[in-house]
Amino acid sequence: MKQYIIGIDVGGTNVRSGLFDEEMRCLATHHCAMDQELEPEELIAVLASHVRELSKAAGIEERQLCGVGAAFPSYIDYEKGVLLETSNIFPLNNVPIRSMLAEALQLPVWIDNNANAAALAEHRMGAGRGYPSMVYATVATGVGGGLILNGELYRGMHGMAGEIGHIFVSDSTGYPCGCGVTGCVQSIASGTSMAHYAMEQIQEGAESRILDYAGTLSKIDMVAVGKALRDGDPLAVEVVDRGAEYLGRMFHSINLILDVNVFVYGGGVIKLGDEFVQRIIATYRRYSLTEPYFPATFVKAELGDRTGIIGAALLVPRE
Ligand SMILES: [Zn+2]
């Protein structure tokens, strides 16, 4: 009998899910908005409804499902299957989500964080195919990542490896970060932090096209910065250069520890364009010890919106 897998990607704003066959062909997808106030039991009910909807849409019976993988925006105790600290979805902190979901679905369940799932997806089916080791990095609202070492997702001793967004890169700049540190790369070079910096500069009197594109100070985001960048606006250039400098330091630090220099990058901020990525790469090259002997490979993530559900499904072990 054919067997099927479900991957569920729980994000801060959306829950997406997909049903896959044994060859990882996607047969059905489903999504809904995420309510960040949901209590754990209510979230479980939402996820169970996704499983039912997908089975119905793909025309299969639930007994043909062999497992569910689910990814969360959270630090995770991988061994125990517990969400330790969830960004923005506070009712889920310290919740044993794996056992709760397994009981509700009567199926085996694997969980991980979104960035690890995305790293797995890009390695198995996206831009990282064929590389024995790679680092996945996403620059969006936050900065996150996942490590593939010798073909396997590396979770570290507790499931918390690959939190590259919190690598410490400066003691003189940045905004307070959820990790408790001001000066981690996320506190300076995430989309949110870069937009915040642009807003501050304009508040202090800088003239910039960014404000024209955003309309008001409070609406300044990286879309407005990107548009001004294309006009050659000096503040937009400064914001992007500054972000690229700290992201380059982050890639350099990762490389120093792991001696891995295949970097797959994704996330909304990357849409700023090739120029932004080239500035990050140039910074990395300026610092890197391995570069003169072993030039790095930077490749753009390929899987787009489906990265999360593919990665979640790949958490379910194949026979
Ligand atoms: Zn941080």
Side-chain angles (χ1 to χ4, degrees):
M1 188 172 69
K2 269 200 114 171
Q3 293 204 307
Y4 301 91
I5 303 152
I6 282 179
I8 304 176
D9 182 34
V10 179
T13 46
N14 288 296
V15 181
R16 297 173 192 275
S17 57
L19 188 146
F20 297 84
D21 69 9
E22 287 151 329
E23 280 80 46
M24 280 302 291
R25 282 182 295 242
C26 185
L27 305 183
T29 61
H30 189 59
H31 73 274
C32 67
M34 175 68 192
D35 174 357
Q36 299 189 354
E37 308 291 313
L38 283 184
E39 291 299 323
E41 294 75 14
E42 295 170 317
L43 177 65
I44 297 288
V46 169
L47 303 188
S49 77
H50 274 242
V51 171
R52 279 194 302 276
E53 288 292 331
L54 288 170
S55 306
K56 201 163 79 181
I60 68 149
E61 292 176 34
E62 283 184 42
R63 64 186 172 83
Q64 290 176 280
L65 294 171
C66 62
V68 172
F72 297 87
S74 180
Y75 300 140
I76 286 178
D77 183 330
Y78 184 75
E79 287 300 317
K80 293 186 179 146
V82 174
L83 303 180
L84 295 174
E85 191 179 325
T86 308
S87 44
N88 305 324
I89 319 173
F90 304 114
L92 299 182
N93 288 352
N94 296 310
V95 167
I97 201 87
R98 188 179 66 207
S99 58
M100 288 175 75
L101 199 51
E103 195 180 315
L105 299 173
Q106 291 295 300
L107 282 168
V109 171
W110 285 263
I111 68 165
D112 214 318
N113 73 55
N114 307 107
N116 277 358
L120 201 54
E122 287 294 340
H123 184 253
R124 300 292 195 266
M125 298 177 65
R129 280 191 315 275
Y131 294 106
S133 298
M134 59 159 251
V135 174
Y136 170 78
T138 170
V139 185
T141 316
V143 178
L147 314 174
I148 303 288
L149 302 182
N150 302 322
E152 300 292 330
L153 181 62
Y154 181 73
R155 296 188 171 90
M157 289 172 70
H158 313 99
M160 289 180 64
E163 290 290 346
I164 62 175
H166 304 295
I167 291 177
F168 189 62
V169 289
S170 170
D171 58 5
S172 60
T173 188
Y175 304 102
C177 175
C179 71
V181 169
T182 298
C184 70
V185 65
Q186 174 167 287
S187 78
I188 306 170
S190 67
T192 317
S193 302
M194 285 195 275
H196 193 155
Y197 178 77
M199 191 187 75
E200 274 188 355
Q201 298 305 304
I202 292 170
Q203 244 170 350
E204 285 169 20
E207 295 277 334
S208 172
R209 301 271 294 156
I210 296 172
L211 188 57
D212 302 334
Y213 286 118
T216 60
L217 264 182
S218 63
K219 289 204 174 129
I220 287 176
D221 60 8
M222 292 312 284
V223 176
V225 173
K227 286 178 182 165
L229 182 67
R230 280 187 279 284
D231 297 341
D233 177 80
L235 179 60
V237 172
E238 186 200 332
V239 168
V240 166
D241 274 348
R242 189 171 171 275
E245 168 67 29
Y246 290 104
L247 288 163
R249 291 185 192 183
M250 173 191 81
F251 284 115
H252 170 53
S253 295
I254 298 166
N255 176 252
L256 281 176
I257 297 170
L258 299 175
D259 182 18
V260 172
N261 65 355
V262 175
F263 301 109
V264 176
Y265 60 87
V269 175
I270 300 299
K271 290 184 190 147
L272 279 173
D274 197 46
E275 202 182 313
F276 178 51
V277 175
Q278 290 310 321
R279 284 168 199 233
I280 297 172
I281 296 172
T283 309
Y284 167 82
R285 294 211 163 115
R286 199 163 65 241
Y287 297 127
S288 170
L289 299 182
T290 53
E291 198 62 15
Y293 317 104
F294 309 103
T297 303
F298 283 82
V299 272
K300 194 170 170 191
E302 282 178 3
L303 300 174
D305 280 353
R306 291 199 169 176
T307 316
I309 59 172
I310 292 171
L314 287 168
L315 294 172
V316 179
R318 301 299 123 104
E319 280 165 15

